[in-house]
Structure formats: structure tokens, C-alpha cells
Amino acid sequence: MKQISKIVECLTVILSFLFFYSCSDDTAGLGLDMMPASDTVRVFYDTYSVPTETFPVDDAVLARTSRSYLGRFTDPETGVSASADFIAQYHITESSTGNLFPPKIVDDYVTSIDVRLYIDDFIGDSLTTFKVSVYDLDTDLDPEADYYTDINPNDYIDETSEPMSHKWFTLSDRIISEADRTATDYVRHIRIPLPREVGQVIYDAYKEDKSDFTSTYKWLHSGLPCSKGLYFKLEYGEGAVAYVYITQIRINYKYYDDKLKKEVDGVTLMSSTEEVIEVTNFQTEDLSSLVTDPSCTYLRTPAGLFTQLTLPIESISTKDSINSASIQFQRYNDTSGEKYKLGIPQTLLMVRLDEYNNGFFEKYRVADNKTSYVTTFSATGNTYTFSNIAQLINKCIQEKKSGKASANYNKVLLIPVTTTYDTSKNLVKLNHDFSFNQARLVKDTKLNIIYSQFGKADTDGSDDEVDGGSK
């Protein structure tokens, strides 16, 4: 009975592997169906322990993203707080002649100017009160540089100057009516008025010489107000974080419409886009107690904690062919019971530590299903599963055999990311996930490998045995 139970257990593991393997692009096991009839293959599996630990990133990851974040929130489960404020530059519609404003602005007079932060999501209590100040940058940002989330925005402003503007706000925007807030065309946003004179200076410069408005590059280097960018500094507030998908400068005026034969309201827009720089500064309280927590490992965003694995390469058989290898990570449920809490990271990147340190994100790399992989969170199982990392295992084994293995050759990171796919469902972009999320993972895990052992058929049928084990 013990032998039958062992075989049933093995078959269950193998069938589950084959299910995932059939959906995988991994080619590690190709060729099995082309063997001569006189040859046999003995399929067996083994399970290996994989030690895991929390990997701190000290608030410093590549800040490349088309989103910005503003607010402060304390995780009720761990008591750790994190804050976010940001810098944004502004793109203009490029034209050889400059067409930022219509030709007949009434009295050449700008009526007002404001900047709007458009929000498509948030975490926390929307009734929390915040104060944000807006500073005009006085130092150029380098479009060729990589900026990180530990950026100090104060290095890019005159700290002795007064802010251009400030605003008290709530994410629920109670200043406007309930009818307006619930209208189908309403988009949640924070509107921050700027001094009217700022818009007037920009318009007067445009009217005098349009050359600074023919391209975004020229605009960024024009020296005009707002041209270098703006810093949105969080001054006060705790309990929510806004996810800002775009910010816009809006210059308002009246102009004469030749078709309508009358004066109408007009607005000139300049928006934060991927063509210019947006960088959020995240500041997180001391995470050392989480790093050393012996009960689990952590995934924490933004710019907080990864999980590191040490793959047991030296324990893995090198005499047999690896058909597939899978690894699963179990998440602990949140224990706080609070209404407002951190979300769950939805997508993970598995990447070698050396590749991460050598500029995986800086070089715009994406998962190749050879030495890097992505997977998504399963709410049903409360797990993250990488169904076939056989090529990564084989790569590590080859490096060890050839003497080319680095000190970190068997170190792998789990990193929360966001993904972008093209219309053919090809992965085309990976960025760090900057949403306020956290997952506590069960400490240490198992690597399950299915092997094939080739040979000639035995007359006693012993090659039909299915084996399983654990290490």
C-alpha cells in the first residue's frame, strides 16, 4: 500500500506539471515523442527545499513610470508608514510654427491658470485632508538620466523661495456638488490654481517669439515658468494615497471664434506624458523589523521589499534531463481586519539577482521565459506559481559545471511589477509596481522537478516504475 500511495502521489505531481508544461513556451523537454520504439524513458520527480529571505531595496528603484503618486498611508498590519510626492514635466504639441494658442485672444489677456491631477485609483480614506504645495523647478532634469525613487526633489527647487501655490484637498473633492461628483463624465481630480501672472508670462512669451514652443525640448529649456517642471510637495495629511495617471497645466482665456462670430472660452493644455520625465519620491519608515522577521518573507511596494530565493542547484541531479520545474509561493492572509489596508501585488517578475543588478529595468528588458519569468496572483489558491523554470535551472547548472558561475549565480528575486502587452499578447514593457501593496509569503518553499532518464527497454518491465522523492 505504501508503494501504491507513493506512485499515486507521484502521478498527481506529474500530471499537474504536464498541465502547466503543455501551456508553456519552454522547450526543455522537446524530442521525447521522437524516440525510437526500442528506447524507453523513465520519468520521475524530486522535490527540493528552497530557502527564502526578504530583500530590502532602501527606497531606491528605477522610477520609470507614466504615473505619479501623492499621499501618505500607514499599513495597519505592520504599522509601517510610507509617503509619496512627485516631480512632473510637461509636453506640448509640437509644431514648426507653434500653435499653442489661438490667434485672437481677447485683449491678449489670460484669465486664469491651474494644474490638475487626474486620479484613476487611490488607497485609503477619501475623506482624509491633505495639503500640497507646488514649486517651480529651477534645475534642469536630464532626459538621458535614470531617476530613482529616492530622488530628493529639494535639489531641483529653490528651497528659500515660497511655493507657487498650495491646496488643501480631499480625494472625495467635497468642494463640488454631489450631482457633479456622480455625473457620468466626472473624472476625479485635484485642481490647484496657480497665479494668473504665470499664465500671462507664458502667453506673452509665445506671442513675442514662438520658437520656444515649436518642440517639447525647446519648451523645457526656455526658462519660462513651469518649463522645467513642477514639484508637488506633500505638506500635510495621513491616511490615503492618490494614483495620478496624468497631470495637466490649463491656461484659460477668451478668444474670438471666426466661425461662431463671437467670443468663446478657450484653454491651452500641457500634459505630463511618457515623452517627458515624471518621478515620484517615496519615503518609507524603517523596514528592518520586516527584513528580519523569521516567520515570513515580504513583497512590499512601492520601492520597499522583494523576496530572494537561493536555488538548490548543487543538490539537483545533473545525470538526468529536466523536463520541467515549478515553484509556488503561498501568501498569508492579511490579519489587520481594517477597512483601509494595502492591496495585494498582482504580478511578479522572477529574475536573477545578477541580471537585476546589471540593469534589467534600466535596459528596458522584459521576461524572456529563459532566465526571467512573470506570473500573476491566484486569488483562488492565495498563491503565486511559476509553472516551468526549467531553462533557468539548466542555465545555472551549466554555469556551475563550466566554472563561470558568479557568487550570486543561484540567487533569484521576486519583484512586483506592472506589465504592458501588445495586440498580439507579447510582453513589451515591464515597470516596477508603485501601488501601495504588500504580501507576506510563507518562509521557504519547494522546487518540484520532473526528470527523464533514457535507456533501453528491460524485459522485466522495471523501467515502468515511477519514482518520487524529497530533499
Side-chain angles (χ1 to χ4, degrees), residues 54-103:
T54 300
F55 183 92
V57 293
D58 301 323
D59 284 339
V61 301
L62 184 66
R64 186 183 294 143
T65 178
S66 59
R67 286 175 173 267
S68 299
Y69 300 82
L70 183 66
R72 182 181 289 108
F73 187 80
T74 299
D75 169 29
E77 188 174 31
T78 63
V80 175
S81 294
S83 65
D85 52 20
F86 67 95
I87 286 172
Q89 290 185 322
Y90 294 89
H91 172 79
I92 64 172
T93 302
E94 301 192 359
S95 167
S96 59
T97 57
N99 58 359
L100 202 62
F101 294 90

Side-chain angles (χ1 to χ4, degrees), residues 14-85:
I14 291 174
L15 287 172
S16 64
F17 268 90
L18 291 176
F19 172 77
F20 287 116
Y21 179 69
S22 66
C23 302
S24 171
D25 292 331
D26 198 305
T27 58
L30 287 179
L32 297 180
D33 56 345
M34 296 183 289
M35 292 176 55
S38 60
D39 290 344
T40 64
V41 57
R42 176 172 168 262
V43 178
F44 62 101
Y45 81 96
D46 225 331
T47 302
Y48 303 87
S49 296
V50 179
T52 62
E53 59 187 288
T54 300
F55 183 92
V57 293
D58 301 323
D59 284 339
V61 301
L62 184 66
R64 186 183 294 143
T65 178
S66 59
R67 286 175 173 267
S68 299
Y69 300 82
L70 183 66
R72 182 181 289 108
F73 187 80
T74 299
D75 169 29
E77 188 174 31
T78 63
V80 175
S81 294
S83 65
D85 52 20

Side-chain angles (χ1 to χ4, degrees), residues 17 48-52 309-312 325-330 350 375 383-389 392-393 412 414 444-449:
F17 268 90
Y48 303 87
S49 296
V50 179
T52 62
L309 328 177
T310 301
L311 297 174
S326 78
I327 192 166
Q328 186 175 87
F329 303 90
Q330 185 74 45
M350 176 185 285
T375 193
T383 55
Y384 302 92
T385 302
F386 293 88
S387 59
N388 195 357
I389 60 169
L392 170 60
I393 301 299
V412 177
L414 301 182
D444 301 334
T445 188
K446 298 290 185 181
L447 174 68
N448 299 301
I449 295 181

Side-chain angles (χ1 to χ4, degrees), residues 83-87 148-153 231 279-283:
S83 65
D85 52 20
F86 67 95
I87 286 172
Y148 292 79
T149 52
D150 62 349
I151 186 174
N152 183 0
Y231 170 35
V279 54
T280 298
N281 166 235
F282 294 105
Q283 295 186 22

Side-chain angles (χ1 to χ4, degrees), residues 76-134:
E77 188 174 31
T78 63
V80 175
S81 294
S83 65
D85 52 20
F86 67 95
I87 286 172
Q89 290 185 322
Y90 294 89
H91 172 79
I92 64 172
T93 302
E94 301 192 359
S95 167
S96 59
T97 57
N99 58 359
L100 202 62
F101 294 90
K104 297 180 181 180
I105 289 183
V106 176
D107 298 329
D108 291 327
Y109 184 80
V110 169
T111 57
S112 66
I113 178 174
D114 61 67
V115 59
R116 301 188 184 188
L117 317 183
Y118 289 95
I119 300 163
D120 63 355
D121 202 0
F122 67 93
I123 184 174
D125 186 353
S126 65
L127 297 177
T128 300
T129 300
F130 289 94
K131 180 183 178 182
V132 62
S133 294
V134 181

